Amino acid sequence: MGDVSTPAFSRARLSGLVSRTLEALHNAHLPLDMPGSRELSRSRQQLITQLESRILPHLESTDLPAVIVFGGSSGAGKSTLVNSLVREEISPASVLRPTTRTPIMIMHPGDYPRMRDHALSRMGTYKQMDAAIEGVVLVDAPDLDSVDDSNRELSSRLIDTADLWVFVTTASRYGDAVAWDTLQQANMRGVTCAVVLDRVSESALSTVRRDLADRMGQMGLSESPLFIIPDAGAHSGLLPEEYVRELREWLEIVAKTKAGNSLVDRTTNATLPQLRTDLLYLADAVEAQDNALIDLKDKAYEGAQEPVDKLATNIANGRFGQGAPTTSWLSLASTGGPLAGMVAGRKPGIFDRRSGARDRAMTTIFDSILTSVRVALTQGLTTAQMNVNEAWSADVVNTEQLLDEANSSLDIDAIVDRALVNWKSDIAKKRVRANPWLGSSGTAALLGVAAGGIAGARKMTEELDAKDLMFAVREDLATRVREALDELVAVYTGVVSTVNVGDATTLRVRASELLNR
């Protein structure tokens, strides 16, 4: 295959490189909807199609038939032309648009064994015909300007499979922008092109041919074959055989001589240099998406930071005892209340030691502390959720789906419940010197009440030589609050972590290997 078979870089080595490049492309995803990502995703699929459907098969086999794709705008007569070349109505032709929905690949039975597992087989329907030209596969592609999105996409993909793309247009529509833009793109992508001007009247032949030749010259296609099909007028079925004889004979020459191999070599050698540039662009895009994911994770951490700091300040300053907990303490510890004697330092009598009433009273106050913590933590988590949602919504990435996933799996009430259960468990593990007023449950509640900020309870812990334990309980609460915010952040970062963008480094390595080639 021309210079690809030189000792410095053999066909086998190039085949290995193309296979590794394909693997890197399959592993390089652009899942995020951000500026330029859709275009680059199409470019990635284009590269995969070119390598998988055109270049690699010819590197792995020296006797594959050349793939010749007939494409153009709706109504250009592609199907009629292909049918006329093989003298049988294989591909449907109709005034209804679009006609060709499933591509028809027409080949000689002798070529079928080599094409059976070709990537082309997954794009349309194979048709074996004795009248087909052995050595080439003729593909009738969907319209380039089809109203069906999938048809247009398939037509574009078929161009990337082509060793030769035959652009079919008419005397009245050869200036259509869509078709010419596609022709120019195909030429730029290294696809060898030919042009068929269909339905040309004798009176318009000279003018249209000259104008068309000028257009082709301006696009760098002056050496591309140009075939003129006369206007057959109103008719149905096949074109007269003499109308397509020149094109059929040229295709036979391509099949029987080295022209087919030359087409393959030319297209391959034109594609590979551009491939390196495309790989580097794609690597940049993969890195941009990876950086975007990191940025989204950073925004999740940043969104939780303010609520974490505010809660930590409230815990350190004992502000959860304010309001209802203080009122409850004053009610139960004042004269006549079950905690009055304990607060006054009066030791209970022998029959009143470790009264269940005092334990229950202290637990009641602690429950009020827990309610304050629950409200504050719920507010903090809700604020963090709003912060992250706003930051993600304003991001350059379209995060709508990611936000839906995160918010649907985020359960703030469950996070708060776990945090409070864990804090209560932390308190229960603390060991306080035995005292005559409270049992184990009441003593644990006292530590929580004191940590929450009730001044009278703090004084009681000092008298029980449990001041350090009270501060430890307060630190435990700070830890559980941080864990709760971390759990919220983990919901967002977990959603981000499920997004796989692949490895840009591998793409750069493949590009470097192509440069060495």
Side-chain angles (χ1 to χ4, degrees):
M1 279 182 58
D3 67 1
V4 300
S5 300
T6 61
F9 213 100
S10 66
R11 178 190 294 269
R13 286 184 62 198
L14 183 55
S15 175
L17 172 55
V18 170
S19 295
R20 293 193 302 276
T21 302
L22 269 171
E23 182 180 3
L25 286 168
H26 280 298
N27 291 331
H29 306 287
L30 298 174
L32 297 179
D33 184 0
M34 54 190 297
S37 61
R38 294 183 183 181
E39 293 79 4
L40 284 165
S41 290
R42 286 195 291 269
S43 175
R44 168 181 168 271
Q45 183 56 55
Q46 190 178 93
L47 293 175
I48 290 174
T49 301
Q50 287 178 334
L51 296 179
E52 200 169 61
S53 305
R54 187 176 74 223
I55 294 179
L56 187 59
H58 285 296
L59 289 172
E60 293 177 339
S61 175
T62 58
D63 60 351
L64 277 180
V67 175
I68 302 179
V69 176
F70 287 74
S73 301
S74 60
K78 301 182 299 298
S79 298
T80 299
L81 180 61
V82 171
N83 292 340
S84 300
L85 286 168
V86 295
R87 309 313 298 167
E88 186 175 333
E89 293 194 41
I90 300 299
S91 191
S94 170
V95 294
L96 299 177
R97 306 296 173 216
T99 300
T100 305
R101 297 182 180 276
T102 301
I104 306 295
M105 290 80 167
I106 301 173
M107 66 191 72
H108 191 276
D111 289 325
Y112 177 73
R114 293 186 293 278
M115 294 297 294
R116 180 187 294 111
D117 299 322
H118 193 281
L120 201 64
S121 65
R122 299 188 290 273
M123 299 184 195
T125 302
Y126 279 2
K127 178 66 177 180
Q128 301 178 60
M129 293 185 62
D130 290 332
I133 304 170
E134 190 167 8
V136 296
V137 176
L138 305 185
V139 181
D140 183 12
D143 299 332
L144 290 170
D145 55 355
S146 171
V147 295
D148 188 307
D149 291 343
S150 60
N151 271 6
R152 291 199 306 274
E153 180 182 351
L154 181 55
S155 181
S156 179
R157 287 188 63 197
L158 284 168
I159 293 174
D160 293 316
T161 71
D163 298 311
L164 169 68
W165 187 49
V166 179
F167 170 48
V168 183
T169 187
T170 65
S172 61
R173 298 193 58 185
Y174 70 90
D176 286 356
V178 172
W180 278 97
D181 286 346
T182 306
L183 180 61
Q184 188 168 24
Q185 291 170 19
N187 185 45
M188 292 172 61
R189 275 147 49 186
V191 179
T192 303
C193 301
V195 177
V196 172
L197 187 60
D198 195 11
R199 301 174 188 160
V200 184
S201 65
E202 186 66 30
S203 60
L205 176 59
S206 176
T207 301
V208 171
R209 173 183 279 174
R210 183 170 56 253
D211 185 45
L212 182 56
D214 289 342
R215 285 175 178 264
M216 292 175 64
Q218 292 169 11
M219 292 177 62
L221 294 168
S222 56
E223 296 183 5
S224 297
L226 170 60
F227 299 93
I228 305 295
I229 306 295
D231 186 2
H235 78 288
S236 61
L238 306 179
L239 294 170
E241 190 169 354
E242 62 269 20
Y243 281 23
V244 297
R245 182 177 293 119
E246 182 184 9
L247 178 56
R248 166 92 189 191
E249 289 175 350
W250 179 73
L251 293 173
E252 289 173 343
I253 291 172
V254 168
K256 292 178 181 178
T257 66
K258 295 296 183 180
N261 288 338
S262 297
L263 283 177
V264 172
D265 290 349
R266 177 181 173 186
T267 303
T268 298
N269 291 323
T271 300
L272 290 176
Q274 181 61 37
L275 173 61
R276 177 179 180 272
T277 300
D278 291 339
L279 287 175
L280 292 176
Y281 277 130
L282 187 58
D284 289 342
V286 169
E287 285 183 349
Q289 295 233 332
D290 194 38
N291 291 334
L293 293 175
I294 294 172
D295 184 58
L296 289 176
K297 289 183 178 181
D298 289 343
K299 284 181 167 63
Y301 287 110
E302 292 166 4
Q305 191 58 52
E306 180 185 353
V308 166
D309 293 342
K310 183 177 180 179
L311 286 165
T313 299
N314 289 341
I315 292 169
N317 293 326
R319 292 176 181 166
F320 294 118
Q322 297 174 356
T326 296
T327 300
S328 182
W329 173 269
L330 292 174
S331 173
L332 296 170
S334 60
T335 302
L339 301 177
M342 183 186 74
V343 172
R346 295 192 304 270
K347 292 185 178 180
I350 191 169
F351 297 108
D352 193 30
R353 293 173 64 84
R354 298 180 181 174
S355 165
R358 283 190 291 271
D359 286 344
R360 288 190 294 273
M362 194 63 74
T363 300
T364 297
I365 302 171
F366 181 52
D367 286 343
S368 188
I369 293 288
L370 286 174
T371 298
S372 294
V373 173
R374 177 181 294 277
V375 170
L377 181 53
T378 301
Q379 289 176 342
L381 289 166
T382 302
T383 299
Q385 180 185 22
M386 291 174 57
N387 290 344
V388 180
N389 287 350
E390 289 177 3
W392 278 23
S393 296
D395 197 271
V396 66
V397 175
N398 182 346
T399 56
E400 183 176 350
Q401 182 177 347
L402 296 175
L403 282 170
D404 285 344
E405 292 179 17
N407 287 298
S408 64
S409 60
L410 181 60
D411 189 340
I412 288 179
D413 289 338
I415 294 175
V416 173
D417 287 341
R418 281 190 291 273
L420 295 183
V421 167
N422 289 334
W423 185 45
K424 289 168 68 176
S425 177
D426 295 334
I427 296 173
K429 294 174 184 177
K430 300 293 188 288
R431 293 292 174 259
V432 182
R433 176 171 56 86
N435 66 88
W437 295 286
L438 301 168
S440 59
S441 64
T443 302
L446 172 64
L447 290 176
V449 172
I454 300 295
R458 290 203 305 271
K459 184 178 179 182
M460 287 297 302
T461 60
E462 293 175 8
E463 292 179 3
L464 295 178
D465 197 23
K467 182 179 179 181
D468 289 344
L469 287 177
M470 184 274 292
F471 283 115
V473 168
R474 187 172 283 179
E475 184 56 40
D476 288 339
L477 177 57
T479 298
R480 296 306 181 181
V481 164
R482 283 194 298 272
E483 288 174 352
L485 270 298
D486 288 343
E487 194 172 339
L488 177 141
V489 170
V491 171
Y492 286 93
T493 58
V495 168
V496 172
S497 295
T498 63
V499 181
N500 176 30
V501 299
D503 182 12
T505 301
T506 303
L507 293 172
R508 296 192 188 282
V509 171
R510 298 291 89 84
S512 175
E513 290 176 332
L514 285 167
L515 178 64
N516 293 336
R517 175 216 169 242

